[in-house]
Amino acid sequence: MFALPPIGNGTPLPDRLADTGGGSQLIIAVAPRTDATTGMLTWWDRRGGRWVMAGSAPARFGAQGLVEGSERRQGTDTTPTGLYDLPYAFGIKAAPSGTAMPYRRVNRNSWWCEDNHSRAYNRWVEPLPADCRAAESEHLADYGTQYARALVIGFNYEKPVRGRGAGIFLHVNGRAATAGCVSAPADAVRRILAWVEPRQRPHLAIGTTSGPTAITRY
């Protein structure tokens, strides 16, 4: 575990970022360096013109560390750095009490298409369409631990670039590092889902403490 040192008179971390997405809720995932697989997750509210931390938890990243989002390639087990929106939440379990984010329940027909040749690339599909190969996609119900509850991270989502990557989520910890997602303990994900409010235009920033992928660049 590590902590970012404050700047000046305890400047909140969101105030050190180049951009927070323009909303009043922000989740920040920080790793100590690009080859790290663990770090810190914090989430913040904008209240009365100030950022106030609402919670924190240890975080996990890709098995091959982190990489600038615009340079990421699919299948590299790297977590993309950058600032992203949060389109919706999903899970095998029911949404936590108080969840305001749109929430989709996983069933046996739920897939995330990751086939670069499919029209449904980087999208939830039910059932799997004919042009999306199962071997190139995730059957969401098979990940009972990780996808018990999750948030879709808007990486490569609005206008998907083929080969850049698909299925990047904030989800519950599995046994070890992720395949490119950000993960956190189950209770932390539950608390985030009960906290996050679409009307506040929440975003997620992912980065490192310094260097070209420093969190302060995003």
Side-chain angles (χ1 to χ4, degrees):
M1 191 66 65
F2 74 101
L4 290 173
I7 289 180
N9 188 21
T11 304
L13 180 54
D15 286 330
R16 297 159 55 189
L17 271 61
D19 187 8
T20 60
S24 56
Q25 287 188 327
L26 182 67
I27 304 170
I28 303 177
V30 185
R33 55 193 182 276
T34 54
D35 63 352
T37 59
T38 61
M40 177 66 71
L41 190 70
T42 56
W43 51 103
W44 303 76
D45 288 301
R46 185 80 173 169
R47 302 175 186 167
R50 295 177 56 85
W51 286 103
V52 179
M53 188 187 295
S56 66
R60 294 179 184 174
F61 301 98
Q64 298 301 317
L66 299 87
V67 68
E68 168 63 44
S70 62
E71 299 175 2
R72 186 182 188 272
R73 302 303 299 171
Q74 187 161 322
T76 56
D77 287 348
T78 52
T79 297
T81 62
L83 178 69
Y84 305 106
D85 64 355
L86 301 165
Y88 60 92
F90 70 91
I92 294 170
K93 291 185 176 181
S97 177
T99 298
M101 180 71 71
Y103 191 91
R104 299 189 69 167
R105 287 295 297 274
V106 173
N107 62 60
R108 296 303 302 177
N109 289 321
S110 303
W111 292 78
W112 198 273
C113 181
E114 300 180 5
D115 188 335
N116 279 284
H117 301 291
S118 174
R119 290 171 294 178
Y121 178 65
N122 202 20
R123 288 294 185 270
W124 177 300
V125 290
E126 288 183 8
L128 193 69
D131 73 341
C132 186
R133 292 169 291 172
E136 298 293 325
S137 302
E138 284 194 338
H139 187 223
L140 300 178
D142 290 345
Y143 299 88
T145 297
Q146 294 94 323
Y147 298 159
R149 294 186 176 116
L151 270 167
V152 176
I153 298 174
F155 166 73
N156 201 32
Y157 187 78
E158 184 176 353
K159 296 179 180 179
V161 175
R162 312 287 169 158
R164 183 161 291 169
I168 301 298
F169 313 125
L170 169 57
H171 64 67
V172 175
N173 283 340
R175 293 183 178 180
T178 74
C181 296
V182 177
S183 74
D187 183 63
V189 176
R190 178 192 61 78
R191 286 185 286 140
I192 289 170
L193 288 178
W195 161 82
V196 71
E197 170 56 66
R199 292 177 298 179
Q200 307 303 323
R201 293 182 293 160
H203 285 73
L204 169 65
I206 306 169
T208 54
T209 56
S210 61
T213 55
I215 194 70
T216 52
R217 292 186 57 245
Y218 302 110

